[in-house]
Amino acid sequence: MKHPLLRFFMLLLAGWPTWSLAQALTPTQPNRLELPLQAYASDVYVQTLAEDSSVVLLVNDEKNGTMRRQISFQKFDRQLRPVWSLPLEVAPEYDFLQLCAEGSMVYALFQSEYTPDHLWVVSLDAHDGILHSGAFETKISRTIYEAKALGGNLFVTTMVENHLTVMLLNLRAGTHQFLPAVYETLPTQFTFLADSVTKRAKFVMSQSNGQKTRLQVKQLSADGKLLKSEFVQAESERGLITAQISPGDSAANLLTGTYTLRDSRYSQGIFAADLSAGTTPTGVRKSLRFYDFLNLKHFLDFMQPARAARVRERGQRLKESARQMRHHYHLLMHDLEPFEDGYVLVGEVYFPTSQNISNYGSYYARSFSPYYSNGYVPSYYPNLNTQNNSANGYMASQAIVCGFDRNGMLLWDNAFVLKEVRQANLVETVRLRPLADGKRFVMAYLKEEELHYKVIDRSNASPNDLVVPIATSPQPDSKEKLIDTNQEGLLTWYGSRFLAYGYQHVRAPHGPGRDVFFLNTIAFE
């Protein structure tokens, strides 16, 4: 009896550090900012700046229920203390579209309500609070999907004659041009990285002949010149659906994404390719590696264990008969993040909810919303002609995270099971930040009044149900109570910190309640 019991306790202790560390890692909320704003009479857009770990807000407030807008830029330091506030005069015809940033520069893009080909861009030097603005008459541009800053210019994705293209706004010269290097027939899936290290705009676009799907990768300079174009395709029945390209050194480009088996609506697994490794005589990448979802250790964590076991058993039976299980998953992929001597990829598994609405209406609803409070529109342009795009919402079941080396070898995987996360638009739900030890991550998302999070330590198991309430005060003994939270969101910030935001109604123990727009620091330190 003695030896078996001793072995049992040794095994228990061996597994204890992983779980105890994860459970003990509780975030603090050292700083909170409140603006006396109501959701029905204001809009607030949030931009974090890596340059000095500050925050810039674009605040659109209608005082006392009037229709006259009072718009301002407001800057706060890393402790959420006010730095300055600048009023911004915006003509009534212009509606706000998006914020983006590069270094200390913040850019706000507006579009005319009456003449959609008229754009107006405000440039803010957040370091000293200097404003510049310029108008652009693009003549043929209509729907705007996304804007990113690179080299002092704005790359704006838009649709022209049923083609997805990119418009370059030269803010110094006050000129614009449509870039012929990017002109994709719809439907397409499309990702776009503004690489601040190499000063390149990197585009990955899907192309299909009706049976197979391949990817085309294009790299442009900061002034819109085509530097490199190449195709990535697979042999046999696999088709490549969508992908993200690594940031940084252009000599070591890693491409990771999802692949399919015949049906381009659904992902079968993850692929990775080192673009510097060359191709075969038939044009296939020598470095292409494929990882079926069933080969990932944690992909089925969102299922009950018994169901996951049945799925894996069925997959094994099919494999033994030289067949493959066909999956029906959709993945929304995040930008690749550098980690150690490789990269980390996050992908959110989501399911559309069907509704009898037009494909165009669904597409437009997903591509633009006035409540992207972080100024972000996803670099993802779904296939307009497929069944799954007639959706009025999306539910994310989990987020997978995969670690790759620089050559595309999968080193580990993990998953964060989400709790009935539903979104009206196809946008990123979870955020990822490294911990101070440089070996682990925290994945988190905000849902109503609570922050849900998980510690990611490579493939090691850890709790999926860690949660803390959003504090209404840095004081831990506060008796205030949150009654309602809406338009909430979470941004990555600096170090191991996140920034939570949204509108809240807070009830004080004595006296009246208050309506506020809040910012909370979430620190894992």
Side-chain angles (χ1 to χ4, degrees):
M1 292 288 294
K2 181 177 179 181
H3 293 296
L5 282 174
L6 179 62
R7 180 178 298 176
F8 169 77
F9 283 112
M10 289 179 66
L11 290 173
L12 181 63
L13 290 173
W16 179 256
T18 299
W19 285 84
S20 62
L21 283 174
Q23 292 171 330
L25 189 62
T26 302
T28 60
Q29 300 179 53
N31 308 112
R32 178 177 171 91
L33 167 70
E34 292 186 353
L35 300 178
L37 299 171
Q38 296 173 315
Y40 70 85
S42 67
D43 291 302
V44 182
Y45 306 93
V46 185
Q47 181 68 58
T48 58
L49 296 179
E51 186 87 359
D52 58 0
S53 304
S54 63
V55 183
V56 171
L57 306 183
L58 179 62
V59 180
N60 179 8
D61 185 18
E62 295 179 3
K63 293 291 186 183
N64 300 322
T66 65
M67 296 302 293
R68 187 175 185 274
R69 300 183 296 182
Q70 296 187 16
I71 302 177
S72 63
F73 277 111
Q74 301 180 28
K75 182 179 180 179
F76 302 86
D77 65 14
R78 61 170 57 194
Q79 279 80 42
L80 298 181
R81 297 173 301 198
V83 179
W84 45 250
S85 178
L86 298 173
L88 179 64
E89 292 294 330
V90 181
E93 68 176 284
Y94 282 107
D95 293 328
F96 172 81
L97 290 185
Q98 190 182 350
L99 277 183
C100 61
E102 182 184 26
S104 65
M105 297 299 298
V106 178
Y107 303 95
L109 177 63
F110 295 81
Q111 185 176 33
S112 172
E113 177 184 1
Y114 309 114
T115 51
D117 61 335
H118 287 195
L119 303 178
W120 188 58
V121 179
V122 179
S123 305
L124 166 68
D125 187 337
H127 179 70
D128 52 23
I130 297 178
L131 289 170
H132 296 282
S133 64
F136 298 85
E137 296 184 10
T138 64
K139 300 188 184 302
I140 59 174
S141 178
R142 292 295 183 269
T143 304
I144 302 296
Y145 299 114
E146 181 178 25
K148 293 187 179 182
L150 185 66
N153 297 326
L154 282 190
F155 286 77
V156 179
T157 51
T158 183
M159 195 192 316
V160 175
E161 296 178 349
N162 207 37
H163 286 74
L164 191 66
T165 188
V166 175
M167 178 171 48
L168 178 68
L169 303 182
N170 187 318
L171 304 181
R172 297 184 187 90
T175 60
H176 74 278
Q177 60 175 315
F178 290 91
L179 302 181
V182 183
Y183 191 70
E184 293 300 308
T185 304
L186 295 177
T188 185
Q189 295 197 41
F190 181 100
T191 61
F192 168 30
L193 174 68
D195 192 340
S196 60
V197 177
T198 61
K199 296 300 180 184
R200 291 189 175 192
K202 301 177 178 179
F203 300 89
V204 183
M205 299 153 283
S206 67
Q207 298 177 341
S208 175
N209 62 4
Q211 296 180 336
K212 288 192 61 175
T213 304
R214 68 178 182 182
L215 300 176
Q216 186 174 19
V217 181
K218 293 187 177 183
Q219 300 190 37
L220 281 66
S221 65
D223 57 0
K225 294 184 175 62
L226 180 63
L227 301 176
K228 191 175 184 179
S229 179
E230 53 191 323
F231 291 102
V232 183
Q233 58 190 10
E235 294 177 327
S236 69
E237 59 184 354
R238 294 189 183 103
L240 309 184
I241 307 175
T242 187
Q244 297 282 2
I245 191 169
S246 62
D249 185 7
S250 59
N253 281 333
L254 178 67
L255 194 72
T256 61
T258 60
Y259 73 93
T260 185
L261 294 177
R262 297 178 184 170
D263 192 339
S264 61
R265 293 176 299 175
Y266 304 116
S267 298
Q268 183 72 17
I270 302 292
F271 80 88
D274 178 5
L275 297 185
S276 62
T279 62
T280 67
T282 59
V284 176
R285 295 281 162 178
K286 298 177 181 178
S287 60
L288 264 177
R289 296 182 173 93
F290 297 92
Y291 305 96
D292 188 287
F293 288 137
L294 292 185
N295 294 332
L296 302 183
K297 181 178 180 180
H298 291 280
F299 186 83
L300 300 182
D301 283 2
F302 72 99
M303 296 182 180
Q304 292 294 329
R307 182 187 173 197
R310 291 195 299 270
V311 171
R312 291 193 183 278
E313 289 172 3
R314 181 168 177 258
Q316 184 60 34
R317 289 196 304 270
L318 290 172
K319 183 177 180 181
E320 291 171 355
S321 62
R323 293 184 294 167
Q324 294 189 65
M325 178 181 290
R326 300 298 175 91
H327 304 306
H328 291 81
Y329 297 111
H330 309 281
L331 259 70
L332 176 61
M333 298 175 54
H334 297 209
D335 290 346
L336 282 169
E337 297 283 349
F339 176 61
E340 295 182 335
D341 195 32
Y343 300 94
V344 166
L345 175 69
V346 174
E348 299 184 29
V349 181
Y350 70 91
F351 301 90
T353 57
S354 297
Q355 179 77 353
N356 291 324
I357 57 178
S358 69
N359 284 335
Y360 178 80
S362 172
Y363 181 47
Y364 182 83
R366 284 197 305 277
S367 300
F368 173 74
S369 167
Y371 298 117
Y372 285 130
S373 293
N374 61 345
Y376 175 78
V377 181
S379 301
Y380 185 75
Y381 301 82
N383 184 322
L384 303 189
N385 294 339
T386 58
Q387 177 83 23
N388 69 328
N389 285 305
S390 52
N392 68 336
Y394 302 86
M395 185 178 74
S397 61
Q398 65 169 331
I400 63 170
V401 53
C402 300
F404 294 91
D405 66 15
R406 291 169 66 88
N407 299 317
M409 179 69 70
L410 179 65
L411 304 176
W412 52 268
D413 75 89
N414 215 314
F416 183 16
V417 179
L418 310 181
K419 294 184 180 298
E420 294 186 2
V421 176
R422 299 177 184 273
Q423 300 274 17
N425 304 307
L426 188 58
V427 295
E428 293 177 3
T429 297
V430 301
R431 304 295 179 185
L432 183 77
R433 287 303 294 167
L435 291 176
D437 58 18
K439 299 179 180 179
R440 297 176 300 160
F441 297 90
V442 170
M443 296 186 76
Y445 65 95
L446 199 62
K447 183 179 180 183
E448 296 176 345
E449 291 81 37
E450 295 179 326
L451 179 87
H452 299 256
Y453 68 98
K454 177 175 181 173
V455 177
I456 302 295
D457 183 6
R458 298 181 182 269
S459 291
N460 296 323
S462 59
N464 273 286
D465 55 356
L466 301 178
V467 60
V468 293
I470 295 299
T472 61
S473 169
Q475 304 302 323
D477 57 349
S478 174
K479 302 299 183 182
E480 295 179 328
K481 184 177 180 181
L482 275 176
I483 303 302
D484 180 55
T485 301
N486 60 77
Q487 298 179 37
E488 70 275 8
L490 189 70
L491 300 177
T492 57
W493 204 4
Y494 65 94
S496 301
R497 297 189 172 207
F498 298 87
L499 185 66
Y501 64 85
Y503 289 93
Q504 288 180 337
H505 180 73
V506 182
R507 178 182 295 170
H510 303 287
R514 64 185 187 274
D515 292 307
V516 299
F517 183 88
F518 76 94
L519 295 175
N520 273 34
T521 302
I522 311 291
F524 287 88
E525 297 171 345

